[in-house]
């Protein structure tokens, strides 16, 4: 959708209509952003639409909607800051909700470390601050860089803004040469109230909650605005360090305190789950009077050597957990039910709500999961919400726990309007009109339109260009959608004829979307770079239901060439038992996957689209294992830390295709450890055992050309 940049000559009717569209569009984008891996709008476009909304609201203040996007949460990262690659990834925390989860956390750690229940094991317990995390890098005692978390590995450079915070020292004494201090930027509730009052007086944007206000204030392109906002900072962790701060978590926090950082006074040292839970209860009681928002208590293993041994899972440390406060509930009215269509054709119902504050967050959308969830009865007749269905106009209870998408937990039948009618779940796709069918045993209704359905086509294209798939530089979700909407790319194969067809339309695009010869050529080169591509990636990129990255690689490793795969699929489709048995005989491929794969290759139109694509590609052969030319054949390899050049699944499949055995843990039998950033206990153990260790680049060099 495109909006003018100008509002001269706009009437109330124009503004009202556009504000309505913007509200719907941004609400959907917000929902997608929080709920899926493929946001519908990219960050720059999201920001542009928000600015457009703000401009209209300033010009037409009497038309500001109750569900205005300017009071919604979920601002996407901006494109306006330079990017910072974190030297040590900024991870998130796994969650605990019940007391038993805390006991299990302790038990899990003891088991992992081989510590019996009679031996002491200490933890720190501290509030989980509801703000946004910030990493401050000091070199030789001077603040040189500040970055937001971003996606954990790349954040935004907000150095100038961070320098304006009074809790952020510019110079440290007696600090390690390299010290990255991490913590939470937040806004006190009283400061938040005062800021919003001032914003209202100015006719400026109001913030939904202190966390949004803190995020919005830190991520200002003008540092002077940040300076005018009362932001605070608690230090609770660290990233890269040239020398350790202490032997314990508590000791390290005390060091940070001695450097002049604010650390949380409610940090306690606990000797086990009973003391941790007692401290949690105490903090919970004080929660309302703290003056700042917190959403739980974080427990961390106190002994830093043990933290090192425990290390990390893919995105969370094993040595810490966030014990969240209970979920928040609120009642509001259901204004409508929209149906969104995803990549695999799934029709997902989304509740449009009268905006309501649920524990500090304004919620205007919630998931309704599927048809059965709305009707109040599951596929086997079991009751959901005591069998109460959900109708437009109903008074509904919203449930929000942490970062999960809010859902409708209950319906108040006593408040149901007399004219409310049972929701008729569509039996045709709202996007393309094709039949939407439900397979036996599947709660999800799916559009049968395949690629004639624009929603599926766009989602499929977005998947095609995504990271584990073709990952074409400069051709992200936004661009590919634009090309689709402009009629340039209907299916993946069209991407590879863009250069040839572009000559004719370049002028048009230049005018509309700001493409120039240089940027277009850069894109075409990036597309050309992907003409030669791995088998597994191509298969994964097709977005066949149930065929994920790992399965794609397994299948590729089994068949070796694209041609063999196609031949096998043809045979299997002709009900050749042997071909089918061979397919489901692949370790890791079950009958559901196999059925889906054979179906995709057997459908005329889908197969034709696959063939049109493959005609533009040189799909690399996966060579059968030949011990004579593989330096890793028969070796046991362990991957740890973050891999940046390939996915875990790809790395594993590649290693296996070269005859290596991939293991999840380091032992005396390990031959090679491939350690990426964030590698923890495994790297240490490998070092202790004298095991050959290399980084990802070293590994790729070793298997070069294979
Ligand atoms: S420790 C390696 N401690 O919670 C993990 N995080 O859900 C380091 N947070 O991204 C984080 N208060 O933004 C830690 N006392 C605290 C925290 C805290 C808030 C945030 C932080 C993190 C998120 C994870």
């Amino acid at each position: 959708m495109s909006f003018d940049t100008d509002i001269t000559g706009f009437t109330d009717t124009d503004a009202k209509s556009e504000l309505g569209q913007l509200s719907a569009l941004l609400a959907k984008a917000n929902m997608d952003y929080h709920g899926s891996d493929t946001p519908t709008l990219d960050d720059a476009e999201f920001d542009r639409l928000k600015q457009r909304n703000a401009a209209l609201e300033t010009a037409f203040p009497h038309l500001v909607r109750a569900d205005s996007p300017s009071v919604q949460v979920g601002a996407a990262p901006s494109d306006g800051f330079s990017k910072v690659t974190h030297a040590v990834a900024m991870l998130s925390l796994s969650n605990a909700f019940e007391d038993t989860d805390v006991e299990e956390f302790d038990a899990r750690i003891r088991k992992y470390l081989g510590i019996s229940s009679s031996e002491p094991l200490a933890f720190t317990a501290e509030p989980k601050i509801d703000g946004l995390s910030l990493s401050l890098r000091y070199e030789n005692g001077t603040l040189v860089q500040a970055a937001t978390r971003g996606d954990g590995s790349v954040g935004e450079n907000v150095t100038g803004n961070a320098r304006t915070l009074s809790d952020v020292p510019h110079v440290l004494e007696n600090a390690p040469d390299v010290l990255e201090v991490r913590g939470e930027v937040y806004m006190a509730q009283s400061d938040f109230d005062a800021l919003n009052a001032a914003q209202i007086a100015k006719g400026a944007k109001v913030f939904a909650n202190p966390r949004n206000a803190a995020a919005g204030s830190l991520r200002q392109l003008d540092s002077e605005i940040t300076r005018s906002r009362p932001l605070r900072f608690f230090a609770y962790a660290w990233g890269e360090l040239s020398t350790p701060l202490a032997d314990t978590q508590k000791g390290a926090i005390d060091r940070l305190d001695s450097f002049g950082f604010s650390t949380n006074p409610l940090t306690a040292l606990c000797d086990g789950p009973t003391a941790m839970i007692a401290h949690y209860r105490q903090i919970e009681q004080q929660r309302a009077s703290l003056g700042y928002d917190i959403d739980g208590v974080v427990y961390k293993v106190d002994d830093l050597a043990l933290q090192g041994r425990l290390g990390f899972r893919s995105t969370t440390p094993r040595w810490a957990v966030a014990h969240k406060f209970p979920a928040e509930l609120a009642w509001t009215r259901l204004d409508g039910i929209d149906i969104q269509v995803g990549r695999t054709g799934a029709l997902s119902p989304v509740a449009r709500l009268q905006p309501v504050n649920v524990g500090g967050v304004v919620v205007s959308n919630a998931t309704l999961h599927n048809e059965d969830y709305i009707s109040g009865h599951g596929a086997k007749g079991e009751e959901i919400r005591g069998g109460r269905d959900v109708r437009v106009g109903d008074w509904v209870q919203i449930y929000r726990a942490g970062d999960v998408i809010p859902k409708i937990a209950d319906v108040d039948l006593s408040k149901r309007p007399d004219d409310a009618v049972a929701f008729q779940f569509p039996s045709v796709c709202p996007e393309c009109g094709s039949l939407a069918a439900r397979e036996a045993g599947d709660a999800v209704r799916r559009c049968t339109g395949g690629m004639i359905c624009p929603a599926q086509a766009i989602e499929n294209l977005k998947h095609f260009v995504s990271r584990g798939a073709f990952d074409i530089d400069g051709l992200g979700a936004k661009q590919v959608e634009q090309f689709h909407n402009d009629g340039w790319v209907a299916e993946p194969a069209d991407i590879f004829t863009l250069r040839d067809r572009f000559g004719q339309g370049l002028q048009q695009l230049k005018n509309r979307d700001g493409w120039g010869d240089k940027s277009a050529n850069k894109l075409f080169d990036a597309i050309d770079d992907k003409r030669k591509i791995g088998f597994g990636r191509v298969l994964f990129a097709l977005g066949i239901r149930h065929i994920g990255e790992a399965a794609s690689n397994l299948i590729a490793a089994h068949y070796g060439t694209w041609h063999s795969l196609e031949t096998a699929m043809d045979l299997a489709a002709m009900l050749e038992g042997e071909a089918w048995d061979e397919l489901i005989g692949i370790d890791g491929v079950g009958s559901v996957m196999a059925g889906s794969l054979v179906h995709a290759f057997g459908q005329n139109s889908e197969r034709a689209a696959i063939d049109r694509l493959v005609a533009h590609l040189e799909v690399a052969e996966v060579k059968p294992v030949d011990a004579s030319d593989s330096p890793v054949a028969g070796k046991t390899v362990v991957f740890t830390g973050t891999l940046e050049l390939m996915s875990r699944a790809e790395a594993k499949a590649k290693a296996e295709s070269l005859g290596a055995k991939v293991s999840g843990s380091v032992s005396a039998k390990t031959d090679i450890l491939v350690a990426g950033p964030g590698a923890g206990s495994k790297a240490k153990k490998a070092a202790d055992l004298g095991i050959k260790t290399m980084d990802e680049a070293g590994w790729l060099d070793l298997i070069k050309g294979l």
Side-chain angles (χ1 to χ4, degrees), residues 100-283:
T100 48
D101 297 337
V102 180
E103 283 151 14
E104 279 165 22
F105 168 66
D106 172 73
R108 227 175 17 245
I109 287 176
R110 287 179 179 277
K111 185 163 177 223
Y112 191 96
L113 296 170
I115 299 179
S116 75
S117 55
S118 57
E119 289 171 80
L121 179 61
F123 295 87
T124 57
E126 70 203 59
K128 182 168 190 296
I129 317 295
D130 201 1
L132 72 154
S133 47
L134 180 71
S135 184
L136 301 166
R137 185 176 175 92
Y138 292 84
E139 289 178 6
N140 302 314
T142 304
L143 176 65
V144 293
Q145 190 171 68
T148 62
R149 174 164 180 256
D151 64 5
S153 60
V154 178
E156 289 172 337
N157 187 338
V158 290
T159 314
N161 295 354
R163 285 209 174 99
T164 69
L165 270 63
S166 55
D167 284 341
V168 170
H170 293 198
V171 189
L172 307 180
E173 272 172 35
N174 304 321
D177 294 347
V178 175
L179 167 62
E180 284 180 0
V181 177
R182 292 179 174 175
E184 203 83 352
V185 174
Y186 67 101
M187 195 178 280
Q189 286 146 355
S190 56
D191 289 334
F192 165 74
D193 293 339
L195 172 64
N196 262 355
Q199 292 286 102
I200 290 168
K202 276 199 288 190
K205 148 181 177 155
V206 290
F207 295 101
N209 54 45
R211 174 163 51 88
N212 278 7
S217 301
L218 185 67
R219 295 166 67 259
Q220 286 288 335
L221 292 172
D222 176 359
S223 294
E224 287 314 307
I225 299 183
T226 309
R227 190 188 302 280
S228 73
R229 303 277 171 83
L231 293 176
R232 304 179 188 214
F233 179 79
F234 274 130
Y236 53 63
W238 52 92
E240 190 178 353
L241 276 180
S242 53
T243 41
L245 291 172
D247 295 335
T248 61
Q249 176 75 29
K250 186 77 176 64
I253 297 303
D254 290 345
R255 273 295 296 287
L256 295 180
D257 199 87
S258 78
F259 295 145
F261 290 97
S262 295
T263 58
N264 196 289
L266 296 175
T267 308
L269 200 55
C270 302
D271 62 6
T274 310
M276 286 146 79
I277 293 165
H279 195 58
Y280 170 91
R281 297 264 179 273
Q282 208 185 340
I283 291 178

Side-chain angles (χ1 to χ4, degrees), residues 28 339-342 347 428-434 447 452-456 458:
K28 175 173 184 317
I339 304 287
Q340 290 179 358
V341 183
L347 267 49
V428 293
C429 171
E431 298 283 343
C432 72
S434 302
C447 163
I452 67 155
C453 175
Q456 284 190 61
I458 290 175

Side-chain angles (χ1 to χ4, degrees), residues 391-394 413-422:
R391 302 185 179 186
V392 173
D394 266 340
L413 293 184
S414 72
K415 290 197 177 155
R416 173 165 286 175
D418 292 338
D419 57 355
V421 286

Side-chain angles (χ1 to χ4, degrees), residues 89-95 125-134 149 182-185 234-238 249 264 267 294-300 307 312 315-322 324 403:
M90 288 181 84
L91 300 170
S92 53
L93 293 168
S94 56
N95 292 329
E126 70 203 59
K128 182 168 190 296
I129 317 295
D130 201 1
L132 72 154
S133 47
L134 180 71
R149 174 164 180 256
R182 292 179 174 175
E184 203 83 352
V185 174
F234 274 130
Y236 53 63
W238 52 92
Q249 176 75 29
N264 196 289
T267 308
I294 62 173
D295 57 353
V297 173
V298 184
Y299 308 125
K300 300 171 184 171
Q307 281 192 11
F312 302 86
T315 59
T316 56
R318 278 194 198 84
W319 43 263
V321 75
K324 301 297 271 288
D403 313 325

Side-chain angles (χ1 to χ4, degrees), residues 425-481:
F425 203 90
S427 53
V428 293
C429 171
E431 298 283 343
C432 72
S434 302
L435 180 73
R438 249 179 100 162
E439 280 170 31
D442 191 355
V444 175
R445 193 173 277 279
R446 287 173 206 278
C447 163
T448 54
M451 290 308 113
I452 67 155
C453 175
Q456 284 190 61
I458 290 175
E459 293 309 314
N460 207 57
L461 283 166
K462 287 181 185 170
H463 170 76
F464 184 84
V465 299
S466 69
R467 201 149 170 238
F470 271 66
D471 194 17
I472 298 168
D473 257 2
L475 190 63
K478 176 192 151 195
Q479 288 82 3
V480 86
E481 178 165 8

Side-chain angles (χ1 to χ4, degrees), residues 30-51:
N30 240 333
M31 186 82 178
D32 294 340
Y33 178 74
H34 291 288
S36 75
D37 292 334
T38 46
T40 43
L41 287 185
D42 82 339
D43 307 335
E45 179 72 355
F46 185 90
D47 284 346
R48 197 180 70 75
L49 295 183
K50 276 205 114 163
Q51 279 163 14

Side-chain angles (χ1 to χ4, degrees), residues 535-536 539-540 544 546-562 564-566 568-569 582-584 586-590 593-594 597-598 601 622 653:
F535 185 167
L539 188 55
F540 172 62
I544 298 169
H546 305 300
I547 308 294
E549 216 170 335
S552 300
N553 287 321
L554 291 173
I555 295 163
H558 179 83
Y559 290 105
T561 66
W562 189 262
S564 323
L565 170 70
E566 287 199 323
M569 291 305 107
E582 181 183 343
L583 179 58
I584 58 170
I586 301 173
D587 194 18
V589 175
M593 283 186 193
L597 191 68
V598 172
F601 277 81
V622 185

